[in-house]
Amino acid sequence: MNVATRSRRKECTRLQITAPNADPASVHALRHRLEATLHCWGLETVAQTAALLASEVLTNAVAHARGGLHSGTPAVRMTVSHRGGTLVVEVGDTSVRLPRMRQAADEDENGRGMLLLQALADKWGAESVRGGKKVWFTLRVPRS
């Protein structure tokens, strides 16, 4: 994983991490990097929720980009920014297939990630971008 940019300005804090050969182990590493970063930024109140939601989105990115147009292991990029009272997490991958809500049966092991986003994020969305897609979510950061 490469840290592409990391800047800390008075009004904005930003981190971008690229995993050029993402696999399931990358999800674990990116989740822990996100949690550590949020703790460094003093955002402990949203770290656990952000890490859970990021794990869901990252897992989908790894799974669907792998089965997408590109063979081999996919490149996945996570960008995290904090501005004012909002945390924004974006995950980009090489698949052009946008996520959709599913109705998972009780015995299904998959299919609940978008439901978690719907329930826990303040806002979330997905959009096509050049070379793939980007899925994002926001969380309000309580003022201390």
Side-chain angles (χ1 to χ4, degrees):
M1 282 178 281
N2 300 319
V3 175
T5 59
R6 183 176 183 184
S7 64
R8 188 172 185 102
R9 295 185 297 256
K10 186 175 182 180
E11 72 281 354
C12 180
T13 303
R14 185 170 190 267
L15 170 71
Q16 184 173 7
I17 305 169
T18 300
N21 297 306
D23 60 16
S26 301
V27 173
H28 180 75
L30 288 166
R31 176 187 174 128
H32 285 288
R33 181 68 186 270
L34 172 63
E35 287 176 307
T37 297
L38 295 180
H39 284 282
C40 285
W41 292 351
L43 302 178
E44 292 86 359
T45 57
V46 295
Q48 203 169 28
T49 301
L52 171 65
L53 295 178
S55 285
E56 293 296 329
V57 176
L58 287 162
T59 298
N60 286 346
V62 169
H64 295 292
R66 185 179 305 275
L69 299 175
H70 303 280
S71 61
T73 54
V76 173
R77 181 182 55 262
M78 180 173 68
T79 304
V80 184
S81 59
H82 174 234
R83 184 178 200 114
T86 303
L87 177 73
V88 180
V89 178
E90 301 172 337
V91 175
D93 67 60
T94 55
S95 172
V96 296
R97 189 172 151 203
L98 294 175
R100 59 183 173 81
M101 298 291 269
R102 289 184 18 194
Q103 197 69 297
D106 290 342
E107 63 277 0
D108 289 346
E109 291 184 20
N110 300 351
R112 293 177 184 82
M114 298 298 105
L115 293 172
L116 281 171
L117 276 175
Q118 186 75 28
L120 299 176
D122 291 308
K123 294 180 186 175
W124 75 275
E127 55 197 73
S128 297
V129 296
R130 196 170 92 164
K133 72 170 171 302
K134 174 173 63 173
V135 179
W136 56 269
F137 64 87
T138 66
L139 295 171
R140 270 190 301 274
V141 178
R143 298 192 187 260
S144 22

